[in-house]
Amino acid sequence: MYRARDHVQNERWLAEIQQAADRLDLDTAARSRATDLFLSTVSEWDAPSERDADSRQAVVAASLYAGSLIEGDQRSQSEVADAAGVARLTIQQRWKELLEEAGLQPPSW
């Protein structure tokens, strides 16, 4: 679980989630789930710094993909990658791990 302070420390990344979600035209439930997944994952990290910006951007993208998948507003990995500014492979490598870290069971297909 995450703390209110995590919202403040990750304002930049939460804004990135919303901007990419706007580009994807995601519904409210998918946006909310992506935010929860992101905060659940990064709340364990130290305070944000520029050196881990690429890692956080990858978590943003994986959170958007997984959030849209869970909430039935699914977008392709390529669409999410384009909207989030990462490679499709980044999402492919991170989204299942992100679900597991959040305590969710990834699909087996």
Side-chain angles (χ1 to χ4, degrees):
M1 195 49 149
Y2 51 90
R3 304 171 305 256
R5 180 176 63 173
D6 294 328
H7 278 273
V8 174
Q9 289 179 333
N10 290 289
E11 282 182 41
R12 170 185 174 188
W13 305 108
L14 297 176
E16 290 276 341
I17 288 173
Q18 293 307 314
Q19 291 167 1
D22 286 345
R23 289 189 285 274
L24 292 164
D25 195 30
L26 289 180
D27 65 25
T28 303
R31 291 168 187 253
S32 179
R33 179 69 69 163
T35 298
D36 286 343
L37 288 169
F38 178 83
L39 289 172
S40 294
T41 302
V42 299
S43 65
E44 301 300 320
W45 296 12
D46 291 332
S49 70
E50 287 304 312
R51 76 179 194 292
D52 61 12
D54 289 342
S55 293
R56 288 183 191 266
Q57 191 66 36
V59 176
V60 164
S63 297
L64 283 163
Y65 177 72
S68 69
L69 183 67
I70 291 168
E71 295 300 332
D73 194 15
Q74 187 173 353
R75 301 297 191 274
S76 72
Q77 290 179 0
S78 294
E79 288 173 306
V80 175
D82 289 344
V86 301
R88 185 192 59 78
L89 184 59
T90 299
I91 295 171
Q92 184 179 1
Q93 292 174 335
R94 299 292 300 263
W95 75 274
K96 287 183 182 179
E97 177 184 313
L98 180 116
L99 287 178
E100 290 171 352
E101 288 178 26
L104 300 170
Q105 180 83 28
S108 59
W109 38 260

